C-alpha cells in the first residue's frame, strides 16, 4: 500500500488465487478496483484477515471468491456456508452500507469430482443472499459450463484449475453487469 497507494473507497476483490491472478485494472478500466486476493486462501482466511485486507479500504463494493480451496482441502459444504455467514456478518457489522457480492465456487476441470459438494455450498449461499438486499450472488457458474453441463475447457489454464484470459472474460461480463447496477461511484 505504501508503494502503490490504493484508491479511496475502492471496489475491493478478496479471495484465493482466482482473484489474485485476475488483472482487475484491465478488466474494469473505468472503476477504482483493488485486488487483495492471495493464493491458497480459504473462507476462514478471509475472516481471520478481515481487519487487514478489507476494513482499512472502506470499500464501496466488495466481491469475494472463496470456497474452492476449502472444499478441495476436505471441508464440508456446511462449513463453507457457516464461514460465509461469518464473513457476511463482519461485512454487515463493520461496513453496513457496503454491497457485498459472492462469486460462487467455480466448476473446474481439476476439481470436477468435488462439484457436487461445491454446488451444494453455492446453492445454500445463494439462498442466504436472497434474504438480504446488501448480499448478492453473481452467477459465474452458468457461463463456465459447456453444452454437456461440464466445465468448458476453453476457460482454463493448463492446470485445469485456474482461469485463462477467456475464463476471466466470462467472469468480467457477469461482474460488469452487476457493477453497472450497483456501483454508486465515489
Amino acid at each position: 500500500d505504501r508503494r502503490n497507494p490504493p484508491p479511496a473507497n475502492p471496489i475491493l476483490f478478496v479471495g484465493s488465487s482466482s482473484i489474485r491472478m485476475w488483472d482487475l485494472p484491465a478488466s474494469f478500466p473505468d472503476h477504482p478496483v483493488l485486488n487483495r486476493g492471495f493464493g491458497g486462501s480459504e473462507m476462514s482466511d478471509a475472516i481471520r484477515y478481515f481487519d487487514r485486507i478489507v476494513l482499512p479500504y472502506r470499500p464501496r463494493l466488495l466481491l469475494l471468491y472463496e470456497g474452492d480451496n476449502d472444499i478441495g482441502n476436505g471441508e464440508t459444504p456446511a462449513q463453507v456456508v457457516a464461514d460465509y455467514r461469518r464473513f457476511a456478518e463482519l461485512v454487515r457489522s463493520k461496513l453496513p452500507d457496503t454491497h457485498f457480492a459472492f462469486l460462487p465456487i467455480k466448476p473446474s476441470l481439476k476439481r470436477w469430482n468435488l462439484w457436487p459438494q461445491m454446488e451444494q455450498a453455492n446453492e445454500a449461499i445463494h439462498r442466504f443472499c436472497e434474504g438480504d438486499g446488501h448480499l448478492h450472488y453473481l452467477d459465474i457458474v452458468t457461463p463456465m459450463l459447456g453444452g454437456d453441463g461440464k466445465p468448458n475447457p476453453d476457460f482454463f489454464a493448463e492446470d485445469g484449475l485456474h482461469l485463462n484470459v477467456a475464463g476471466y472474460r466470462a467472469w468480467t461480463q457477469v461482474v460488469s453487469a452487476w457493477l453497472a447496477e450497483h456501483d454508486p461511484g465515489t
Side-chain angles (χ1 to χ4, degrees), residues 91-154:
V91 174
R92 198 55 44 241
S93 67
K94 296 184 178 195
L95 299 165
D97 297 325
T98 299
H99 281 264
F100 165 40
F102 180 67
L103 300 170
I105 305 168
K106 70 182 178 302
S108 68
L109 301 170
K110 184 173 184 175
R111 292 182 173 160
W112 184 241
N113 63 312
L114 300 173
W115 180 241
Q117 295 98 308
M118 293 172 169
E119 190 173 35
Q120 185 180 349
N122 285 344
E123 289 172 0
I125 291 170
H126 190 188
R127 284 191 305 274
F128 181 72
C129 290
E130 288 176 337
D132 186 318
H134 279 81
L135 299 179
H136 307 271
Y137 179 95
L138 305 187
D139 181 12
I140 52 104
V141 172
T142 301
M144 296 195 69
L145 297 174
D148 61 357
K150 294 181 179 174
N152 183 340
D154 294 341

Side-chain angles (χ1 to χ4, degrees), residues 18 22 65 106 140 144 163 167-175:
S18 293
W22 195 350
Y65 179 82
K106 70 182 178 302
I140 52 104
M144 296 195 69
L163 299 176
Y168 281 117
R169 195 174 306 120
W171 281 24
T172 298
Q173 288 177 344
V174 172
V175 172

Side-chain angles (χ1 to χ4, degrees), residues 8-11 30-32 58-61 179-186:
N9 200 229
I11 298 167
D30 298 327
H31 297 279
R58 295 286 181 205
R60 63 197 202 205
L61 297 172
L179 290 177
E181 186 178 339
H182 290 91
D183 185 6
T186 53

Side-chain angles (χ1 to χ4, degrees), residues 17-18 21 106 155-164 168:
S17 56
S18 293
M21 297 168 69
K106 70 182 178 302
F155 290 151
F156 292 92
E158 282 185 30
D159 66 4
L161 178 63
H162 295 99
L163 299 176
N164 63 19
Y168 281 117

